[in-house]
Structure formats: structure tokens, C-alpha cells
Amino acid sequence: MSNRAGRLERAFKTAWFAKATRKAHIEDVELCSAIQQVMLGQADDLGGGVFKKRLGRNLYRSIIVARGGRFWVYEYLFAKKDRDNIEDDDLAKFRKIAKAYGTLTEQQIDQMKNEGWWMEICNAR
């Protein structure tokens, strides 16, 4: 997938997020579409590389982390009926995760995939 500047963007979902989306019946095609919308600014920017995006016909909220413009990671999913929003301490944790993800090398990203921690979606390469 390429962004507005024409650069290739990669998107991943964590193993936990993949399990949550299976239960919520949210497909990868919807996740890819949502990432495109986030790149266009159609999401809540929570700062520090953390974004909130609606999914599943507005029934769910996803937390996406991005750092350095290299890739996006779906990190957390919650049902709107169960929770209004994430707490400040949760947001601080997601910002730390985003910062840590920004330091990952390509080899470390491949290792995350190979060990099953991340699944790559929406990759046009």
C-alpha cells in the first residue's frame, strides 16, 4: 500500500489483535481500508504515534500505533458498548509501545512475524 507521498507502507496486526478481530468478525480487507483512511487523517490522532479508528460498522474501536512512517500496527480492539475510551495510563503505555516499535530493524520485524507475534496485512511488496 502506498501513502500520499507514494512510499510503500506496511501494516501488521498483533496476535492478540488477530484473535480479537476473528471474534468480532472483522476481516483484513476492512483493516487495510481503515489504514488507508488513517493515512489520510481520518482517525483520532491521540499523539505519540497512537491513533484510534472505528471498525466493524462503528461497533468497535481499534488502537493503531505507528512510528517513523515505516509501518502501522493494530495493537488493541475494544467494543464501543463495553468501553467509552481508553484510560490515560493505557494511552501512555501505547505511546511507549509506539516509541519502541520505531526502533525496530527490518530483521526484528521479520523475527516478530516469524515467531507469530505479528501478522502482516496490506503489504503491496
Side-chain angles (χ1 to χ4, degrees):
M1 164 187 339
S2 59
N3 65 16
R4 289 181 287 184
R7 290 193 345 253
L8 187 65
E9 297 286 349
R10 297 174 77 184
F12 302 90
K13 58 184 176 181
T14 65
W16 182 92
F17 191 91
K19 184 177 180 180
T21 55
R22 274 193 304 274
K23 288 181 181 179
H25 306 289
I26 298 171
E27 302 291 328
D28 285 354
V29 67
E30 181 178 352
L31 300 178
C32 293
S33 176
I35 285 293
Q36 290 176 333
Q37 294 169 7
V38 173
M39 288 190 296
L40 294 172
Q42 299 170 351
D44 294 325
D45 185 345
L46 304 179
V50 180
F51 299 84
K52 183 173 70 171
K53 181 67 180 156
R54 296 175 184 171
L55 294 173
R57 293 183 297 275
N58 201 25
L59 297 174
Y60 295 90
R61 301 294 183 264
S62 63
I63 299 297
I64 305 164
V65 297
R67 221 32 181 179
R70 294 174 36 226
F71 57 87
W72 305 81
V73 181
Y74 280 100
E75 193 70 31
Y76 185 64
L77 183 75
F78 61 96
K80 182 180 173 185
K81 67 178 179 66
D82 295 337
R83 183 175 192 177
D84 288 330
N85 212 339
I86 59 172
E87 302 296 326
D88 289 341
D89 60 331
D90 293 327
L91 179 57
K93 290 175 189 173
F94 289 126
R95 287 177 177 159
K96 285 181 183 177
I97 290 169
K99 188 174 182 178
Y101 285 174
T103 66
L104 294 176
T105 65
E106 289 299 318
Q107 292 79 17
Q108 289 170 317
I109 292 170
D110 288 342
Q111 184 176 359
M112 297 283 279
K113 287 174 33 184
N114 292 337
E115 292 180 3
W117 293 101
W118 286 4
M119 284 113 246
E120 190 160 11
I121 56 175
C122 323
N123 186 4
R125 3 185 241 172

